Amino acid sequence: MTRKDIFSIHDFAKYARTTRDTLLHYDKIKLLTPVTRGENNYRYYSHGQLAVMNLIRTFKTLGMPLVEIKRLKDIRTPELSKQLLGNQLTRINEEIDKLLHAKKLLELIKDIIETHLDIDEEIITLQQLPERSIVLGKQNDYSGTRSDYDALYDFYEDCHEKYPDLDLNYPVWAIFSQERLRRREWIWPDKYYFYGPEGYEKIPPGLHVVGYKRGGYGNTHSLYERLLEFIDENGYDITGPAYEEYPLNEICVLNDEDYLIAISIPVKIA
């Protein structure tokens, strides 16, 4: 092999559109080793290794691990290439699904925060709310020594069992039945739910009495009392359960006493 048949590491890096450090790393892991070394121990590469670098660069661009690229390089055949490319396509599709889920979650949380930045906590309002898609849990079980933590755990487990591909990282909110409202019991919710593009149940559209306050999880007593007083004073009839949410929570608020609590109760004008 003559000097005209080989490249120095500097020239090879230039023609292969890579760096000297990358070539040194590939040599160290035996992915691409020089065809020869000079008397000065300098590394030299061949024209044919430019094609190997093209293979490596292509599969790196596709996100394939170097260990798999090395395996393919050493024993590559059309059949093996097809198999490895298929495996990588599956991984990429799984990553795309994860990113799409993350995008939906980001959009939802960002929208919730944006729409609650300038809320007047002193005012209770009557609002016409649209239909909303939710994932709804079953009736919570507080029998024996079971607590709200047990009920919340069951909610996640049931959602995962019913919808194994569902993203369970959406904020979870609480529902209190009309009967619980009448008894003024709003400590442990009847059911849990969360919003999301994959919602399988619906909160129906309609009139809601809506109020807000600051406080940590479960610090809702005074707000429920204000809402029920507002409903009684204005002659409204409650038509469904209360929906308790925390639109500004640990995601964006440092002190839990500064979380924003939102409660909406469906009503009709008597």
Side-chain angles (χ1 to χ4, degrees):
M1 185 177 291
T2 69
R3 283 281 183 176
K4 293 182 179 179
D5 298 319
I6 60 176
F7 302 109
S8 68
I9 190 171
H10 172 79
D11 288 340
F12 188 79
K14 178 175 70 174
Y15 298 138
R17 291 177 287 134
T18 187
T19 66
R20 180 179 180 275
D21 287 343
T22 297
L23 292 175
L24 292 176
H25 177 64
Y26 289 172
D27 185 13
K28 181 179 180 181
I29 65 174
K30 307 302 182 186
L31 177 60
L32 183 68
T33 58
V35 292
T36 187
R37 287 177 180 260
E39 294 179 0
N40 52 12
N41 206 32
Y42 286 180
R43 294 168 172 81
Y44 292 96
Y45 295 83
S46 69
H47 293 80
Q49 287 181 301
L50 288 172
V52 177
M53 273 301 302
N54 187 50
L55 176 149
I56 295 171
R57 185 170 50 252
T58 298
F59 280 86
K60 272 194 65 181
T61 301
L62 296 176
M64 187 174 290
L66 290 180
V67 64
E68 288 193 17
I69 297 175
K70 184 175 185 297
R71 176 186 172 211
L72 177 64
K73 177 186 75 72
D74 293 338
I75 56 172
R76 61 187 181 275
T77 64
E79 292 77 16
L80 180 58
S81 293
K82 176 185 175 183
Q83 176 190 336
L84 294 181
L85 286 168
N87 293 342
Q88 186 61 14
L89 183 59
T90 298
R91 283 195 289 263
I92 289 173
N93 283 329
E94 289 173 351
E95 283 300 313
I96 289 173
D97 288 341
K98 291 179 183 177
L99 289 172
L100 288 174
H101 282 306
K103 180 174 183 288
K104 292 175 183 177
L105 179 58
L106 281 168
E107 290 174 340
L108 176 68
I109 295 176
K110 179 173 176 288
D111 181 64
I112 288 173
I113 293 174
E114 285 180 345
T115 55
H116 290 86
L117 288 178
D118 299 313
I119 292 298
D120 188 339
E121 302 158 35
E122 302 301 319
I123 298 177
I124 293 177
T125 60
L126 183 67
Q127 300 180 26
Q128 179 70 37
L129 298 182
E131 179 180 82
R132 290 160 285 169
S133 297
I134 62 172
V135 175
L136 179 64
K138 63 184 182 182
Q139 186 73 26
N140 290 338
D141 177 14
Y142 299 116
S143 60
T145 60
R146 291 175 56 82
S147 69
D148 52 338
Y149 293 106
D150 296 305
L152 185 59
Y153 176 83
D154 287 346
F155 171 74
Y156 283 119
E157 288 293 295
D158 292 339
C159 286
H160 180 69
E161 182 177 343
K162 289 173 64 178
Y163 315 113
D165 297 326
L166 191 63
D167 186 343
L168 299 181
N169 292 308
Y170 289 92
V172 175
W173 314 130
I175 290 178
F176 294 85
S177 67
Q178 289 178 254
E179 291 74 19
R180 298 281 300 288
L181 290 177
R182 294 192 188 98
R183 298 198 301 267
R184 283 173 161 69
E185 296 176 358
W186 36 68
I187 301 301
W188 289 355
D190 292 280
K191 296 180 179 181
Y192 290 109
Y193 71 99
F194 63 80
Y195 295 117
E198 300 89 352
Y200 298 95
E201 290 84 15
K202 306 290 183 182
I203 296 177
L207 285 174
H208 284 68
V209 171
V210 182
Y212 303 89
K213 78 178 293 283
R214 298 282 176 173
Y217 289 120
N219 187 15
T220 57
H221 179 80
S222 61
L223 179 54
Y224 276 109
E225 291 289 358
R226 287 175 57 212
L227 289 166
L228 293 180
E229 182 180 353
F230 180 89
I231 290 170
D232 289 341
E233 287 179 352
N234 289 275
Y236 300 138
D237 290 331
I238 297 175
T239 60
Y243 299 92
E244 180 182 309
E245 303 176 1
Y246 294 75
L248 303 183
N249 54 28
E250 66 272 7
I251 296 297
C252 59
V253 177
L254 183 62
N255 188 334
D256 63 357
E257 292 305 311
D258 294 326
Y259 291 173
L260 181 67
I261 304 168
I263 296 174
S264 62
I265 301 176
V267 297
K268 67 179 180 180
I269 300 174

